[in-house]
PDB file of all heavy atoms in Angstrom:
ATOM      1  N   ARG A 287      -0.358 -10.311   0.347  1.00 97.00           N
ATOM      2  CA  ARG A 287      -1.444  -9.840  -0.491  1.00 97.00           C
ATOM      3  C   ARG A 287      -1.210  -8.370  -0.824  1.00 97.00           C
ATOM      4  O   ARG A 287      -0.856  -7.563   0.041  1.00 97.00           O
ATOM      5  CB  ARG A 287      -2.804 -10.022   0.217  1.00 97.00           C
ATOM      6  CG  ARG A 287      -3.161 -11.479   0.426  1.00 97.00           C
ATOM      7  CD  ARG A 287      -4.640 -11.649   0.650  1.00 97.00           C
ATOM      8  NE  ARG A 287      -5.093 -10.933   1.821  1.00 97.00           N
ATOM      9  CZ  ARG A 287      -6.372 -10.659   2.077  1.00 97.00           C
ATOM     10  NH1 ARG A 287      -7.322 -11.041   1.222  1.00 97.00           N
ATOM     11  NH2 ARG A 287      -6.735 -10.036   3.170  1.00 97.00           N
ATOM     12  N   LEU A 288      -1.449  -8.068  -2.093  1.00 98.00           N
ATOM     13  CA  LEU A 288      -1.250  -6.702  -2.605  1.00 98.00           C
ATOM     14  C   LEU A 288      -2.489  -6.302  -3.389  1.00 98.00           C
ATOM     15  O   LEU A 288      -3.220  -7.157  -3.897  1.00 98.00           O
ATOM     16  CB  LEU A 288      -0.038  -6.662  -3.568  1.00 98.00           C
ATOM     17  CG  LEU A 288       1.269  -7.316  -3.125  1.00 98.00           C
ATOM     18  CD1 LEU A 288       2.214  -7.388  -4.323  1.00 98.00           C
ATOM     19  CD2 LEU A 288       1.900  -6.508  -2.018  1.00 98.00           C
ATOM     20  N   PRO A 289      -2.730  -4.991  -3.530  1.00 98.00           N
ATOM     21  CA  PRO A 289      -3.772  -4.591  -4.461  1.00 98.00           C
ATOM     22  C   PRO A 289      -3.408  -5.044  -5.866  1.00 98.00           C
ATOM     23  O   PRO A 289      -2.228  -5.191  -6.210  1.00 98.00           O
ATOM     24  CB  PRO A 289      -3.739  -3.054  -4.382  1.00 98.00           C
ATOM     25  CG  PRO A 289      -2.981  -2.733  -3.140  1.00 98.00           C
ATOM     26  CD  PRO A 289      -2.038  -3.868  -2.925  1.00 98.00           C
ATOM     27  N   HIS A 290      -4.401  -5.301  -6.688  1.00 98.00           N
ATOM     28  CA  HIS A 290      -4.094  -5.573  -8.099  1.00 98.00           C
ATOM     29  C   HIS A 290      -3.277  -4.410  -8.640  1.00 98.00           C
ATOM     30  O   HIS A 290      -3.538  -3.243  -8.304  1.00 98.00           O
ATOM     31  CB  HIS A 290      -5.382  -5.737  -8.887  1.00 98.00           C
ATOM     32  CG  HIS A 290      -5.169  -6.276 -10.264  1.00 98.00           C
ATOM     33  ND1 HIS A 290      -4.663  -5.499 -11.288  1.00 98.00           N
ATOM     34  CD2 HIS A 290      -5.346  -7.533 -10.783  1.00 98.00           C
ATOM     35  CE1 HIS A 290      -4.537  -6.246 -12.384  1.00 98.00           C
ATOM     36  NE2 HIS A 290      -4.962  -7.466 -12.096  1.00 98.00           N
ATOM     37  N   PRO A 291      -2.268  -4.681  -9.478  1.00 98.00           N
ATOM     38  CA  PRO A 291      -1.438  -3.598 -10.005  1.00 98.00           C
ATOM     39  C   PRO A 291      -2.245  -2.468 -10.656  1.00 98.00           C
ATOM     40  O   PRO A 291      -1.848  -1.302 -10.576  1.00 98.00           O
ATOM     41  CB  PRO A 291      -0.559  -4.310 -11.016  1.00 98.00           C
ATOM     42  CG  PRO A 291      -0.440  -5.706 -10.499  1.00 98.00           C
ATOM     43  CD  PRO A 291      -1.753  -6.011  -9.878  1.00 98.00           C
ATOM     44  N   ALA A 292      -3.353  -2.808 -11.279  1.00 98.00           N
ATOM     45  CA  ALA A 292      -4.180  -1.771 -11.898  1.00 98.00           C
ATOM     46  C   ALA A 292      -4.736  -0.805 -10.820  1.00 98.00           C
ATOM     47  O   ALA A 292      -4.756   0.409 -11.003  1.00 98.00           O
ATOM     48  CB  ALA A 292      -5.324  -2.375 -12.690  1.00 98.00           C
ATOM     49  N   ASP A 293      -5.175  -1.373  -9.713  1.00 98.00           N
ATOM     50  CA  ASP A 293      -5.718  -0.543  -8.631  1.00 98.00           C
ATOM     51  C   ASP A 293      -4.603   0.293  -7.974  1.00 98.00           C
ATOM     52  O   ASP A 293      -4.839   1.449  -7.614  1.00 98.00           O
ATOM     53  CB  ASP A 293      -6.401  -1.414  -7.584  1.00 98.00           C
ATOM     54  CG  ASP A 293      -7.598  -2.160  -8.174  1.00 98.00           C
ATOM     55  OD1 ASP A 293      -8.326  -1.552  -8.989  1.00 98.00           O
ATOM     56  OD2 ASP A 293      -7.796  -3.337  -7.846  1.00 98.00           O
ATOM     57  N   TYR A 294      -3.451  -0.308  -7.820  1.00 97.00           N
ATOM     58  CA  TYR A 294      -2.293   0.434  -7.298  1.00 97.00           C
ATOM     59  C   TYR A 294      -1.985   1.644  -8.184  1.00 97.00           C
ATOM     60  O   TYR A 294      -1.816   2.768  -7.704  1.00 97.00           O
ATOM     61  CB  TYR A 294      -1.076  -0.483  -7.218  1.00 97.00           C
ATOM     62  CG  TYR A 294       0.221   0.254  -7.003  1.00 97.00           C
ATOM     63  CD1 TYR A 294       0.663   0.594  -5.727  1.00 97.00           C
ATOM     64  CD2 TYR A 294       1.028   0.621  -8.094  1.00 97.00           C
ATOM     65  CE1 TYR A 294       1.860   1.291  -5.549  1.00 97.00           C
ATOM     66  CE2 TYR A 294       2.218   1.314  -7.917  1.00 97.00           C
ATOM     67  CZ  TYR A 294       2.625   1.634  -6.634  1.00 97.00           C
ATOM     68  OH  TYR A 294       3.811   2.317  -6.458  1.00 97.00           O
ATOM     69  N   ALA A 295      -1.927   1.414  -9.490  1.00 97.00           N
ATOM     70  CA  ALA A 295      -1.552   2.478 -10.420  1.00 97.00           C
ATOM     71  C   ALA A 295      -2.591   3.606 -10.424  1.00 97.00           C
ATOM     72  O   ALA A 295      -2.245   4.790 -10.374  1.00 97.00           O
ATOM     73  CB  ALA A 295      -1.380   1.914 -11.822  1.00 97.00           C
ATOM     74  N   ILE A 296      -3.862   3.237 -10.477  1.00 97.00           N
ATOM     75  CA  ILE A 296      -4.922   4.253 -10.480  1.00 97.00           C
ATOM     76  C   ILE A 296      -4.916   5.027  -9.175  1.00 97.00           C
ATOM     77  O   ILE A 296      -5.084   6.258  -9.165  1.00 97.00           O
ATOM     78  CB  ILE A 296      -6.300   3.589 -10.738  1.00 97.00           C
ATOM     79  CG1 ILE A 296      -6.338   2.961 -12.139  1.00 97.00           C
ATOM     80  CG2 ILE A 296      -7.394   4.620 -10.570  1.00 97.00           C
ATOM     81  CD1 ILE A 296      -6.049   3.928 -13.279  1.00 97.00           C
ATOM     82  N   HIS A 297      -4.713   4.334  -8.070  1.00 96.00           N
ATOM     83  CA  HIS A 297      -4.632   5.019  -6.775  1.00 96.00           C
ATOM     84  C   HIS A 297      -3.479   6.029  -6.772  1.00 96.00           C
ATOM     85  O   HIS A 297      -3.652   7.179  -6.308  1.00 96.00           O
ATOM     86  CB  HIS A 297      -4.412   3.985  -5.658  1.00 96.00           C
ATOM     87  CG  HIS A 297      -4.097   4.575  -4.331  1.00 96.00           C
ATOM     88  ND1 HIS A 297      -5.039   5.251  -3.566  1.00 96.00           N
ATOM     89  CD2 HIS A 297      -2.935   4.651  -3.625  1.00 96.00           C
ATOM     90  CE1 HIS A 297      -4.488   5.656  -2.444  1.00 96.00           C
ATOM     91  NE2 HIS A 297      -3.214   5.326  -2.472  1.00 96.00           N
TER      92      HIS A 297
END
Side-chain angles (χ1 to χ4, degrees):
R287 294 201 299 164
L288 312 169
H290 191 284
D293 297 321
Y294 166 86
I296 296 302
H297 171 72

